[in-house]
Amino acid sequence: MKKGIIVFCFSLFWLHLSSQQLSHQQYREDFDYFWTTIKTDYCYWDKKQTDWAKVKSIFSPLADTVTSKGSFILLLEKVLYELYDHHASLSANTRESQRLVPTGTDIWAAYINGIPIITEIRLGFGADKAGMTEGMQIIAFNDVEIETAIQSFLAKTLKKEDVESKNYALRLLLAGKHSEIRKITVKYKNKQLEFFPDQPVNLLKEYKYDGEIESKTLHGNIGYIRINNRLGDNNLIPLFDSVVTSLKTTKALILDLRETPGGGNTTVARSILGRFITKEEFYQKHEFTAEEKGYGVKRSWVEIVSPRKTAYTKPLILLVNHWTGSVGEGITIGFDALKRVTIIGTDMARLNGAVYSYTMPHTGIRFSFPVEKLYHVNGTPRENFHPTIQPDLLTQKGQDPILNKAIDFIKNHK
């Protein structure tokens, strides 16, 4: 396996064109490195319909026509569409790049019985503010009929049809480009409606969190902690410790991970898990497939989490949704393995495995994709895990049905 660094997320940086002009040969070498590394180390070929050899035959000649880093990035993005994996991405983008999913989107959608349906709206962001809701059928995007609009993001090299490729393309489309203002046309309750989720302000760019952690005591002496997309920041650890200590006299605690789409690292994950246990336990299983592919020797292991400081031992409720991504998902399956929580919410981002990051030799562009498969300790793939309780999001429009369900659950389970 080529040398890589294990990571779970990284911040995108806007492309700054270098004054140095790269040759066609250098772009071709970077493309070959990119293609070969994914071929060798990507760990989810078993559930993809992608013909990766065909990907090379189609896109490799295009690398010979590249004249700038910007056009090279757009080419690499099209190659990644062939994986239809939201956990595979580049570290650089252009203004014509699509926003990343789930971090850069406020709409989760999927094909249900062949129809593109919104399944969840990100609370507090543009689609929510514009009045969009779960259950809407998507008709068009920026005045282009939806089946035509997704074509740019559909994998072209599938051996057979895969609805996950269409779901991937749909979500990527709805996230929009960095350069555009979105107009989304839907059908809902026998009416055709138009929404402009990026007006008057594009909250996918301008949204500001109210601190790294939000905490309070809810009515009935229920503690509440929300982590705001900081699972990759080790400085979160002392903050989290302080907040947990401040809520030690509450009768139950709600930990809200619904705004953690950017992933994080396992140091922070274990620090959080460790505050709610009193003895060492297994919390997730890893599988490194490249070693078995290369040498026929399977490599897998189970990771341990250890208790930290004074444990909070009273009832714990974990809130998740489609913006609980990567490490947030790992924390969730870890808590479930520890039999320490009741998990309430929708399915999570369902991001595949643990990603490694690699750097291309000439352009310096980094790219990341899943190299380790991750599992619940009971053997369930992390991306297939479902919350214990899944509220109906349509019954309390304008409220927070997931949080309300958690509060009701605590009140009814004394």
Side-chain angles (χ1 to χ4, degrees), residues 265-289:
N265 65 62
T266 60
T267 303
V268 174
R270 286 180 281 109
S271 76
I272 291 170
L273 292 165
R275 286 305 310 266
F276 299 95
I277 57 175
T278 57
K279 62 178 181 178
E280 286 192 336
E281 300 273 6
F282 294 118
Y283 83 96
Q284 73 175 352
K285 178 184 175 182
H286 302 247
E287 184 177 315
F288 184 64
T289 63

mmCIF file with all atom_site columns, all heavy atoms in Angstrom, residues 265-289:
data_model
loop_
_atom_site.group_PDB
_atom_site.id
_atom_site.type_symbol
_atom_site.label_atom_id
_atom_site.label_alt_id
_atom_site.label_comp_id
_atom_site.label_asym_id
_atom_site.label_entity_id
_atom_site.label_seq_id
_atom_site.pdbx_PDB_ins_code
_atom_site.Cartn_x
_atom_site.Cartn_y
_atom_site.Cartn_z
_atom_site.occupancy
_atom_site.B_iso_or_equiv
_atom_site.pdbx_formal_charge
_atom_site.auth_seq_id
_atom_site.auth_comp_id
_atom_site.auth_asym_id
_atom_site.auth_atom_id
_atom_site.pdbx_PDB_model_num
ATOM 1   N N   . ASN A 1 265 ? -11.530 13.080 14.649 1.00 0.00 ? 265 ASN A N   1
ATOM 2   C CA  . ASN A 1 265 ? -10.491 12.083 14.910 1.00 0.00 ? 265 ASN A CA  1
ATOM 3   C C   . ASN A 1 265 ? -10.887 11.208 16.088 1.00 0.00 ? 265 ASN A C   1
ATOM 4   O O   . ASN A 1 265 ? -11.750 11.571 16.891 1.00 0.00 ? 265 ASN A O   1
ATOM 5   C CB  . ASN A 1 265 ? -9.125  12.750 15.125 1.00 0.00 ? 265 ASN A CB  1
ATOM 6   C CG  . ASN A 1 265 ? -9.092  13.622 16.369 1.00 0.00 ? 265 ASN A CG  1
ATOM 7   O OD1 . ASN A 1 265 ? -9.280  13.143 17.480 1.00 0.00 ? 265 ASN A OD1 1
ATOM 8   N ND2 . ASN A 1 265 ? -8.843  14.917 16.186 1.00 0.00 ? 265 ASN A ND2 1
ATOM 9   N N   . THR A 1 266 ? -10.236 10.057 16.193 1.00 0.00 ? 266 THR A N   1
ATOM 10  C CA  . THR A 1 266 ? -10.634 9.096  17.228 1.00 0.00 ? 266 THR A CA  1
ATOM 11  C C   . THR A 1 266 ? -10.164 9.508  18.622 1.00 0.00 ? 266 THR A C   1
ATOM 12  O O   . THR A 1 266 ? -10.665 8.973  19.613 1.00 0.00 ? 266 THR A O   1
ATOM 13  C CB  . THR A 1 266 ? -10.110 7.688  16.909 1.00 0.00 ? 266 THR A CB  1
ATOM 14  O OG1 . THR A 1 266 ? -8.679  7.710  16.826 1.00 0.00 ? 266 THR A OG1 1
ATOM 15  C CG2 . THR A 1 266 ? -10.683 7.194  15.595 1.00 0.00 ? 266 THR A CG2 1
ATOM 16  N N   . THR A 1 267 ? -9.211  10.430 18.716 1.00 0.00 ? 267 THR A N   1
ATOM 17  C CA  . THR A 1 267 ? -8.826  10.928 20.041 1.00 0.00 ? 267 THR A CA  1
ATOM 18  C C   . THR A 1 267 ? -10.010 11.632 20.691 1.00 0.00 ? 267 THR A C   1
ATOM 19  O O   . THR A 1 267 ? -10.357 11.379 21.857 1.00 0.00 ? 267 THR A O   1
ATOM 20  C CB  . THR A 1 267 ? -7.628  11.884 19.937 1.00 0.00 ? 267 THR A CB  1
ATOM 21  O OG1 . THR A 1 267 ? -6.539  11.216 19.309 1.00 0.00 ? 267 THR A OG1 1
ATOM 22  C CG2 . THR A 1 267 ? -7.197  12.363 21.326 1.00 0.00 ? 267 THR A CG2 1
ATOM 23  N N   . VAL A 1 268 ? -10.641 12.517 19.935 1.00 0.00 ? 268 VAL A N   1
ATOM 24  C CA  . VAL A 1 268 ? -11.821 13.204 20.453 1.00 0.00 ? 268 VAL A CA  1
ATOM 25  C C   . VAL A 1 268 ? -12.957 12.214 20.684 1.00 0.00 ? 268 VAL A C   1
ATOM 26  O O   . VAL A 1 268 ? -13.654 12.287 21.701 1.00 0.00 ? 268 VAL A O   1
ATOM 27  C CB  . VAL A 1 268 ? -12.263 14.321 19.484 1.00 0.00 ? 268 VAL A CB  1
ATOM 28  C CG1 . VAL A 1 268 ? -13.573 14.953 19.952 1.00 0.00 ? 268 VAL A CG1 1
ATOM 29  C CG2 . VAL A 1 268 ? -11.181 15.384 19.380 1.00 0.00 ? 268 VAL A CG2 1
ATOM 30  N N   . ALA A 1 269 ? -13.126 11.277 19.772 1.00 0.00 ? 269 ALA A N   1
ATOM 31  C CA  . ALA A 1 269 ? -14.194 10.283 19.917 1.00 0.00 ? 269 ALA A CA  1
ATOM 32  C C   . ALA A 1 269 ? -14.036 9.500  21.216 1.00 0.00 ? 269 ALA A C   1
ATOM 33  O O   . ALA A 1 269 ? -14.993 9.345  21.992 1.00 0.00 ? 269 ALA A O   1
ATOM 34  C CB  . ALA A 1 269 ? -14.193 9.332  18.726 1.00 0.00 ? 269 ALA A CB  1
ATOM 35  N N   . ARG A 1 270 ? -12.840 9.020  21.478 1.00 0.00 ? 270 ARG A N   1
ATOM 36  C CA  . ARG A 1 270 ? -12.622 8.219  22.687 1.00 0.00 ? 270 ARG A CA  1
ATOM 37  C C   . ARG A 1 270 ? -12.722 9.059  23.949 1.00 0.00 ? 270 ARG A C   1
ATOM 38  O O   . ARG A 1 270 ? -13.116 8.572  25.004 1.00 0.00 ? 270 ARG A O   1
ATOM 39  C CB  . ARG A 1 270 ? -11.275 7.508  22.597 1.00 0.00 ? 270 ARG A CB  1
ATOM 40  C CG  . ARG A 1 270 ? -11.296 6.328  21.628 1.00 0.00 ? 270 ARG A CG  1
ATOM 41  C CD  . ARG A 1 270 ? -9.970  5.601  21.509 1.00 0.00 ? 270 ARG A CD  1
ATOM 42  N NE  . ARG A 1 270 ? -9.038  6.321  20.651 1.00 0.00 ? 270 ARG A NE  1
ATOM 43  C CZ  . ARG A 1 270 ? -7.967  6.961  21.066 1.00 0.00 ? 270 ARG A CZ  1
ATOM 44  N NH1 . ARG A 1 270 ? -7.662  6.995  22.364 1.00 0.00 ? 270 ARG A NH1 1
ATOM 45  N NH2 . ARG A 1 270 ? -7.172  7.579  20.211 1.00 0.00 ? 270 ARG A NH2 1
ATOM 46  N N   . SER A 1 271 ? -12.359 10.350 23.817 1.00 0.00 ? 271 SER A N   1
ATOM 47  C CA  . SER A 1 271 ? -12.489 11.227 24.990 1.00 0.00 ? 271 SER A CA  1
ATOM 48  C C   . SER A 1 271 ? -13.953 11.380 25.389 1.00 0.00 ? 271 SER A C   1
ATOM 49  O O   . SER A 1 271 ? -14.277 11.454 26.581 1.00 0.00 ? 271 SER A O   1
ATOM 50  C CB  . SER A 1 271 ? -11.878 12.605 24.696 1.00 0.00 ? 271 SER A CB  1
ATOM 51  O OG  . SER A 1 271 ? -12.711 13.401 23.875 1.00 0.00 ? 271 SER A OG  1
ATOM 52  N N   . ILE A 1 272 ? -14.842 11.445 24.406 1.00 0.00 ? 272 ILE A N   1
ATOM 53  C CA  . ILE A 1 272 ? -16.266 11.583 24.692 1.00 0.00 ? 272 ILE A CA  1
ATOM 54  C C   . ILE A 1 272 ? -16.833 10.283 25.246 1.00 0.00 ? 272 ILE A C   1
ATOM 55  O O   . ILE A 1 272 ? -17.504 10.275 26.286 1.00 0.00 ? 272 ILE A O   1
ATOM 56  C CB  . ILE A 1 272 ? -17.015 12.013 23.410 1.00 0.00 ? 272 ILE A CB  1
ATOM 57  C CG1 . ILE A 1 272 ? -16.623 13.449 23.036 1.00 0.00 ? 272 ILE A CG1 1
ATOM 58  C CG2 . ILE A 1 272 ? -18.526 11.895 23.593 1.00 0.00 ? 272 ILE A CG2 1
ATOM 59  C CD1 . ILE A 1 272 ? -17.113 13.890 21.676 1.00 0.00 ? 272 ILE A CD1 1
ATOM 60  N N   . LEU A 1 273 ? -16.551 9.181  24.578 1.00 0.00 ? 273 LEU A N   1
ATOM 61  C CA  . LEU A 1 273 ? -17.037 7.885  25.050 1.00 0.00 ? 273 LEU A CA  1
ATOM 62  C C   . LEU A 1 273 ? -16.542 7.591  26.470 1.00 0.00 ? 273 LEU A C   1
ATOM 63  O O   . LEU A 1 273 ? -17.289 7.058  27.303 1.00 0.00 ? 273 LEU A O   1
ATOM 64  C CB  . LEU A 1 273 ? -16.558 6.778  24.099 1.00 0.00 ? 273 LEU A CB  1
ATOM 65  C CG  . LEU A 1 273 ? -17.157 6.759  22.697 1.00 0.00 ? 273 LEU A CG  1
ATOM 66  C CD1 . LEU A 1 273 ? -16.320 5.865  21.780 1.00 0.00 ? 273 LEU A CD1 1
ATOM 67  C CD2 . LEU A 1 273 ? -18.594 6.261  22.724 1.00 0.00 ? 273 LEU A CD2 1
ATOM 68  N N   . GLY A 1 274 ? -15.291 7.971  26.727 1.00 0.00 ? 274 GLY A N   1
ATOM 69  C CA  . GLY A 1 274 ? -14.676 7.634  28.014 1.00 0.00 ? 274 GLY A CA  1
ATOM 70  C C   . GLY A 1 274 ? -15.298 8.311  29.214 1.00 0.00 ? 274 GLY A C   1
ATOM 71  O O   . GLY A 1 274 ? -15.101 7.870  30.354 1.00 0.00 ? 274 GLY A O   1
ATOM 72  N N   . ARG A 1 275 ? -16.066 9.396  29.010 1.00 0.00 ? 275 ARG A N   1
ATOM 73  C CA  . ARG A 1 275 ? -16.699 10.090 30.129 1.00 0.00 ? 275 ARG A CA  1
ATOM 74  C C   . ARG A 1 275 ? -17.980 9.407  30.612 1.00 0.00 ? 275 ARG A C   1
ATOM 75  O O   . ARG A 1 275 ? -18.573 9.823  31.615 1.00 0.00 ? 275 ARG A O   1
ATOM 76  C CB  . ARG A 1 275 ? -17.038 11.538 29.739 1.00 0.00 ? 275 ARG A CB  1
ATOM 77  C CG  . ARG A 1 275 ? -15.852 12.475 29.652 1.00 0.00 ? 275 ARG A CG  1
ATOM 78  C CD  . ARG A 1 275 ? -15.012 12.523 30.922 1.00 0.00 ? 275 ARG A CD  1
ATOM 79  N NE  . ARG A 1 275 ? -15.780 12.740 32.123 1.00 0.00 ? 275 ARG A NE  1
ATOM 80  C CZ  . ARG A 1 275 ? -16.008 13.919 32.683 1.00 0.00 ? 275 ARG A CZ  1
ATOM 81  N NH1 . ARG A 1 275 ? -15.540 15.007 32.108 1.00 0.00 ? 275 ARG A NH1 1
ATOM 82  N NH2 . ARG A 1 275 ? -16.680 14.023 33.811 1.00 0.00 ? 275 ARG A NH2 1
ATOM 83  N N   . PHE A 1 276 ? -18.400 8.343  29.915 1.00 0.00 ? 276 PHE A N   1
ATOM 84  C CA  . PHE A 1 276 ? -19.684 7.720  30.251 1.00 0.00 ? 276 PHE A CA  1
ATOM 85  C C   . PHE A 1 276 ? -19.561 6.231  30.581 1.00 0.00 ? 276 PHE A C   1
ATOM 86  O O   . PHE A 1 276 ? -20.562 5.514  30.628 1.00 0.00 ? 276 PHE A O   1
ATOM 87  C CB  . PHE A 1 276 ? -20.662 7.921  29.089 1.00 0.00 ? 276 PHE A CB  1
ATOM 88  C CG  . PHE A 1 276 ? -20.942 9.370  28.798 1.00 0.00 ? 276 PHE A CG  1
ATOM 89  C CD1 . PHE A 1 276 ? -20.221 10.047 27.817 1.00 0.00 ? 276 PHE A CD1 1
ATOM 90  C CD2 . PHE A 1 276 ? -21.898 10.064 29.517 1.00 0.00 ? 276 PHE A CD2 1
ATOM 91  C CE1 . PHE A 1 276 ? -20.461 11.391 27.559 1.00 0.00 ? 276 PHE A CE1 1
ATOM 92  C CE2 . PHE A 1 276 ? -22.151 11.406 29.261 1.00 0.00 ? 276 PHE A CE2 1
ATOM 93  C CZ  . PHE A 1 276 ? -21.423 12.073 28.283 1.00 0.00 ? 276 PHE A CZ  1
ATOM 94  N N   . ILE A 1 277 ? -18.323 5.767  30.804 1.00 0.00 ? 277 ILE A N   1
ATOM 95  C CA  . ILE A 1 277 ? -18.113 4.356  31.147 1.00 0.00 ? 277 ILE A CA  1
ATOM 96  C C   . ILE A 1 277 ? -17.222 4.251  32.376 1.00 0.00 ? 277 ILE A C   1
ATOM 97  O O   . ILE A 1 277 ? -16.506 5.195  32.732 1.00 0.00 ? 277 ILE A O   1
ATOM 98  C CB  . ILE A 1 277 ? -17.487 3.580  29.974 1.00 0.00 ? 277 ILE A CB  1
ATOM 99  C CG1 . ILE A 1 277 ? -16.144 4.225  29.549 1.00 0.00 ? 277 ILE A CG1 1
ATOM 100 C CG2 . ILE A 1 277 ? -18.453 3.510  28.801 1.00 0.00 ? 277 ILE A CG2 1
ATOM 101 C CD1 . ILE A 1 277 ? -15.412 3.449  28.467 1.00 0.00 ? 277 ILE A CD1 1
ATOM 102 N N   . THR A 1 278 ? -17.249 3.088  33.011 1.00 0.00 ? 278 THR A N   1
ATOM 103 C CA  . THR A 1 278 ? -16.460 2.866  34.231 1.00 0.00 ? 278 THR A CA  1
ATOM 104 C C   . THR A 1 278 ? -15.420 1.767  34.072 1.00 0.00 ? 278 THR A C   1
ATOM 105 O O   . THR A 1 278 ? -14.654 1.505  34.989 1.00 0.00 ? 278 THR A O   1
ATOM 106 C CB  . THR A 1 278 ? -17.391 2.510  35.397 1.00 0.00 ? 278 THR A CB  1
ATOM 107 O OG1 . THR A 1 278 ? -18.163 1.350  35.057 1.00 0.00 ? 278 THR A OG1 1
ATOM 108 C CG2 . THR A 1 278 ? -18.334 3.669  35.733 1.00 0.00 ? 278 THR A CG2 1
ATOM 109 N N   . LYS A 1 279 ? -15.373 1.136  32.897 1.00 0.00 ? 279 LYS A N   1
ATOM 110 C CA  . LYS A 1 279 ? -14.344 0.119  32.649 1.00 0.00 ? 279 LYS A CA  1
ATOM 111 C C   . LYS A 1 279 ? -14.031 0.074  31.157 1.00 0.00 ? 279 LYS A C   1
ATOM 112 O O   . LYS A 1 279 ? -14.809 0.558  30.332 1.00 0.00 ? 279 LYS A O   1
ATOM 113 C CB  . LYS A 1 279 ? -14.806 -1.259 33.119 1.00 0.00 ? 279 LYS A CB  1
ATOM 114 C CG  . LYS A 1 279 ? -16.034 -1.783 32.409 1.00 0.00 ? 279 LYS A CG  1
ATOM 115 C CD  . LYS A 1 279 ? -16.405 -3.178 32.906 1.00 0.00 ? 279 LYS A CD  1
ATOM 116 C CE  . LYS A 1 279 ? -17.638 -3.713 32.157 1.00 0.00 ? 279 LYS A CE  1
ATOM 117 N NZ  . LYS A 1 279 ? -17.988 -5.071 32.589 1.00 0.00 ? 279 LYS A NZ  1
ATOM 118 N N   . GLU A 1 280 ? -12.881 -0.475 30.826 1.00 0.00 ? 280 GLU A N   1
ATOM 119 C CA  . GLU A 1 280 ? -12.489 -0.568 29.426 1.00 0.00 ? 280 GLU A CA  1
ATOM 120 C C   . GLU A 1 280 ? -13.436 -1.487 28.654 1.00 0.00 ? 280 GLU A C   1
ATOM 121 O O   . GLU A 1 280 ? -13.848 -2.533 29.153 1.00 0.00 ? 280 GLU A O   1
ATOM 122 C CB  . GLU A 1 280 ? -11.054 -1.084 29.289 1.00 0.00 ? 280 GLU A CB  1
ATOM 123 C CG  . GLU A 1 280 ? -9.997  -0.058 29.658 1.00 0.00 ? 280 GLU A CG  1
ATOM 124 C CD  . GLU A 1 280 ? -8.606  -0.486 29.253 1.00 0.00 ? 280 GLU A CD  1
ATOM 125 O OE1 . GLU A 1 280 ? -8.379  -1.708 29.114 1.00 0.00 ? 280 GLU A OE1 1
ATOM 126 O OE2 . GLU A 1 280 ? -7.757  0.400  29.065 1.00 0.00 ? 280 GLU A OE2 1
ATOM 127 N N   . GLU A 1 281 ? -13.734 -1.062 27.430 1.00 0.00 ? 281 GLU A N   1
ATOM 128 C CA  . GLU A 1 281 ? -14.648 -1.839 26.585 1.00 0.00 ? 281 GLU A CA  1
ATOM 129 C C   . GLU A 1 281 ? -14.207 -1.718 25.124 1.00 0.00 ? 281 GLU A C   1
ATOM 130 O O   . GLU A 1 281 ? -13.560 -0.746 24.725 1.00 0.00 ? 281 GLU A O   1
ATOM 131 C CB  . GLU A 1 281 ? -16.084 -1.296 26.700 1.00 0.00 ? 281 GLU A CB  1
ATOM 132 C CG  . GLU A 1 281 ? -16.670 -1.330 28.095 1.00 0.00 ? 281 GLU A CG  1
ATOM 133 C CD  . GLU A 1 281 ? -17.331 -2.654 28.422 1.00 0.00 ? 281 GLU A CD  1
ATOM 134 O OE1 . GLU A 1 281 ? -17.231 -3.585 27.605 1.00 0.00 ? 281 GLU A OE1 1
ATOM 135 O OE2 . GLU A 1 281 ? -17.942 -2.738 29.509 1.00 0.00 ? 281 GLU A OE2 1
ATOM 136 N N   . PHE A 1 282 ? -14.604 -2.703 24.299 1.00 0.00 ? 282 PHE A N   1
ATOM 137 C CA  . PHE A 1 282 ? -14.443 -2.587 22.853 1.00 0.00 ? 282 PHE A CA  1
ATOM 138 C C   . PHE A 1 282 ? -15.525 -1.666 22.311 1.00 0.00 ? 282 PHE A C   1
ATOM 139 O O   . PHE A 1 282 ? -16.673 -1.717 22.757 1.00 0.00 ? 282 PHE A O   1
ATOM 140 C CB  . PHE A 1 282 ? -14.566 -3.962 22.188 1.00 0.00 ? 282 PHE A CB  1
ATOM 141 C CG  . PHE A 1 282 ? -13.456 -4.905 22.543 1.00 0.00 ? 282 PHE A CG  1
ATOM 142 C CD1 . PHE A 1 282 ? -13.715 -6.088 23.213 1.00 0.00 ? 282 PHE A CD1 1
ATOM 143 C CD2 . PHE A 1 282 ? -12.143 -4.615 22.197 1.00 0.00 ? 282 PHE A CD2 1
ATOM 144 C CE1 . PHE A 1 282 ? -12.697 -6.970 23.533 1.00 0.00 ? 282 PHE A CE1 1
ATOM 145 C CE2 . PHE A 1 282 ? -11.116 -5.489 22.522 1.00 0.00 ? 282 PHE A CE2 1
ATOM 146 C CZ  . PHE A 1 282 ? -11.396 -6.670 23.190 1.00 0.00 ? 282 PHE A CZ  1
ATOM 147 N N   . TYR A 1 283 ? -15.160 -0.827 21.319 1.00 0.00 ? 283 TYR A N   1
ATOM 148 C CA  . TYR A 1 283 ? -16.187 0.070  20.798 1.00 0.00 ? 283 TYR A CA  1
ATOM 149 C C   . TYR A 1 283 ? -16.326 0.066  19.278 1.00 0.00 ? 283 TYR A C   1
ATOM 150 O O   . TYR A 1 283 ? -17.355 0.486  18.752 1.00 0.00 ? 283 TYR A O   1
ATOM 151 C CB  . TYR A 1 283 ? -15.984 1.502  21.307 1.00 0.00 ? 283 TYR A CB  1
ATOM 152 C CG  . TYR A 1 283 ? -14.989 2.350  20.548 1.00 0.00 ? 283 TYR A CG  1
ATOM 153 C CD1 . TYR A 1 283 ? -15.410 3.236  19.538 1.00 0.00 ? 283 TYR A CD1 1
ATOM 154 C CD2 . TYR A 1 283 ? -13.628 2.300  20.844 1.00 0.00 ? 283 TYR A CD2 1
ATOM 155 C CE1 . TYR A 1 283 ? -14.511 4.022  18.858 1.00 0.00 ? 283 TYR A CE1 1
ATOM 156 C CE2 . TYR A 1 283 ? -12.726 3.095  20.174 1.00 0.00 ? 283 TYR A CE2 1
ATOM 157 C CZ  . TYR A 1 283 ? -13.161 3.949  19.181 1.00 0.00 ? 283 TYR A CZ  1
ATOM 158 O OH  . TYR A 1 283 ? -12.268 4.731  18.503 1.00 0.00 ? 283 TYR A OH  1
ATOM 159 N N   . GLN A 1 284 ? -15.321 -0.393 18.520 1.00 0.00 ? 284 GLN A N   1
ATOM 160 C CA  . GLN A 1 284 ? -15.521 -0.536 17.080 1.00 0.00 ? 284 GLN A CA  1
ATOM 161 C C   . GLN A 1 284 ? -14.477 -1.482 16.497 1.00 0.00 ? 284 GLN A C   1
ATOM 162 O O   . GLN A 1 284 ? -13.399 -1.666 17.057 1.00 0.00 ? 284 GLN A O   1
ATOM 163 C CB  . GLN A 1 284 ? -15.479 0.806  16.352 1.00 0.00 ? 284 GLN A CB  1
ATOM 164 C CG  . GLN A 1 284 ? -14.136 1.462  16.217 1.00 0.00 ? 284 GLN A CG  1
ATOM 165 C CD  . GLN A 1 284 ? -14.189 2.741  15.369 1.00 0.00 ? 284 GLN A CD  1
ATOM 166 O OE1 . GLN A 1 284 ? -15.199 3.075  14.760 1.00 0.00 ? 284 GLN A OE1 1
ATOM 167 N NE2 . GLN A 1 284 ? -13.081 3.469  15.333 1.00 0.00 ? 284 GLN A NE2 1
ATOM 168 N N   . LYS A 1 285 ? -14.844 -2.056 15.349 1.00 0.00 ? 285 LYS A N   1
ATOM 169 C CA  . LYS A 1 285 ? -13.955 -3.003 14.674 1.00 0.00 ? 285 LYS A CA  1
ATOM 170 C C   . LYS A 1 285 ? -13.458 -2.386 13.369 1.00 0.00 ? 285 LYS A C   1
ATOM 171 O O   . LYS A 1 285 ? -14.210 -1.713 12.654 1.00 0.00 ? 285 LYS A O   1
ATOM 172 C CB  . LYS A 1 285 ? -14.703 -4.303 14.373 1.00 0.00 ? 285 LYS A CB  1
ATOM 173 C CG  . LYS A 1 285 ? -13.870 -5.343 13.629 1.00 0.00 ? 285 LYS A CG  1
ATOM 174 C CD  . LYS A 1 285 ? -14.689 -6.570 13.280 1.00 0.00 ? 285 LYS A CD  1
ATOM 175 C CE  . LYS A 1 285 ? -13.867 -7.547 12.429 1.00 0.00 ? 285 LYS A CE  1
ATOM 176 N NZ  . LYS A 1 285 ? -14.674 -8.731 12.039 1.00 0.00 ? 285 LYS A NZ  1
ATOM 177 N N   . HIS A 1 286 ? -12.174 -2.613 13.061 1.00 0.00 ? 286 HIS A N   1
ATOM 178 C CA  . HIS A 1 286 ? -11.552 -2.139 11.826 1.00 0.00 ? 286 HIS A CA  1
ATOM 179 C C   . HIS A 1 286 ? -11.184 -3.334 10.947 1.00 0.00 ? 286 HIS A C   1
ATOM 180 O O   . HIS A 1 286 ? -10.869 -4.414 11.445 1.00 0.00 ? 286 HIS A O   1
ATOM 181 C CB  . HIS A 1 286 ? -10.247 -1.381 12.120 1.00 0.00 ? 286 HIS A CB  1
ATOM 182 C CG  . HIS A 1 286 ? -10.394 -0.201 13.017 1.00 0.00 ? 286 HIS A CG  1
ATOM 183 N ND1 . HIS A 1 286 ? -10.183 1.093  12.579 1.00 0.00 ? 286 HIS A ND1 1
ATOM 184 C CD2 . HIS A 1 286 ? -10.704 -0.099 14.334 1.00 0.00 ? 286 HIS A CD2 1
ATOM 185 C CE1 . HIS A 1 286 ? -10.364 1.935  13.584 1.00 0.00 ? 286 HIS A CE1 1
ATOM 186 N NE2 . HIS A 1 286 ? -10.677 1.228  14.660 1.00 0.00 ? 286 HIS A NE2 1
ATOM 187 N N   . GLU A 1 287 ? -11.169 -3.094 9.637  1.00 0.00 ? 287 GLU A N   1
ATOM 188 C CA  . GLU A 1 287 ? -10.689 -4.108 8.704  1.00 0.00 ? 287 GLU A CA  1
ATOM 189 C C   . GLU A 1 287 ? -9.889  -3.418 7.606  1.00 0.00 ? 287 GLU A C   1
ATOM 190 O O   . GLU A 1 287 ? -10.393 -2.514 6.932  1.00 0.00 ? 287 GLU A O   1
ATOM 191 C CB  . GLU A 1 287 ? -11.863 -4.871 8.096  1.00 0.00 ? 287 GLU A CB  1
ATOM 192 C CG  . GLU A 1 287 ? -11.442 -6.011 7.186  1.00 0.00 ? 287 GLU A CG  1
ATOM 193 C CD  . GLU A 1 287 ? -12.637 -6.787 6.656  1.00 0.00 ? 287 GLU A CD  1
ATOM 194 O OE1 . GLU A 1 287 ? -13.550 -7.103 7.458  1.00 0.00 ? 287 GLU A OE1 1
ATOM 195 O OE2 . GLU A 1 287 ? -12.674 -7.068 5.449  1.00 0.00 ? 287 GLU A OE2 1
ATOM 196 N N   . PHE A 1 288 ? -8.639  -3.837 7.450  1.00 0.00 ? 288 PHE A N   1
ATOM 197 C CA  . PHE A 1 288 ? -7.738  -3.243 6.470  1.00 0.00 ? 288 PHE A CA  1
ATOM 198 C C   . PHE A 1 288 ? -7.651  -4.178 5.281  1.00 0.00 ? 288 PHE A C   1
ATOM 199 O O   . PHE A 1 288 ? -6.938  -5.185 5.304  1.00 0.00 ? 288 PHE A O   1
ATOM 200 C CB  . PHE A 1 288 ? -6.373  -3.018 7.115  1.00 0.00 ? 288 PHE A CB  1
ATOM 201 C CG  . PHE A 1 288 ? -5.373  -2.314 6.245  1.00 0.00 ? 288 PHE A CG  1
ATOM 202 C CD1 . PHE A 1 288 ? -5.595  -1.006 5.837  1.00 0.00 ? 288 PHE A CD1 1
ATOM 203 C CD2 . PHE A 1 288 ? -4.215  -2.949 5.835  1.00 0.00 ? 288 PHE A CD2 1
ATOM 204 C CE1 . PHE A 1 288 ? -4.677  -0.350 5.033  1.00 0.00 ? 288 PHE A CE1 1
ATOM 205 C CE2 . PHE A 1 288 ? -3.288  -2.301 5.037  1.00 0.00 ? 288 PHE A CE2 1
ATOM 206 C CZ  . PHE A 1 288 ? -3.518  -1.002 4.632  1.00 0.00 ? 288 PHE A CZ  1
ATOM 207 N N   . THR A 1 289 ? -8.399  -3.876 4.223  1.00 0.00 ? 289 THR A N   1
ATOM 208 C CA  . THR A 1 289 ? -8.573  -4.827 3.127  1.00 0.00 ? 289 THR A CA  1
ATOM 209 C C   . THR A 1 289 ? -7.377  -4.897 2.181  1.00 0.00 ? 289 THR A C   1
ATOM 210 O O   . THR A 1 289 ? -7.191  -5.907 1.506  1.00 0.00 ? 289 THR A O   1
ATOM 211 C CB  . THR A 1 289 ? -9.828  -4.476 2.314  1.00 0.00 ? 289 THR A CB  1
ATOM 212 O OG1 . THR A 1 289 ? -9.663  -3.179 1.719  1.00 0.00 ? 289 THR A OG1 1
ATOM 213 C CG2 . THR A 1 289 ? -11.066 -4.484 3.198  1.00 0.00 ? 289 THR A CG2 1
#
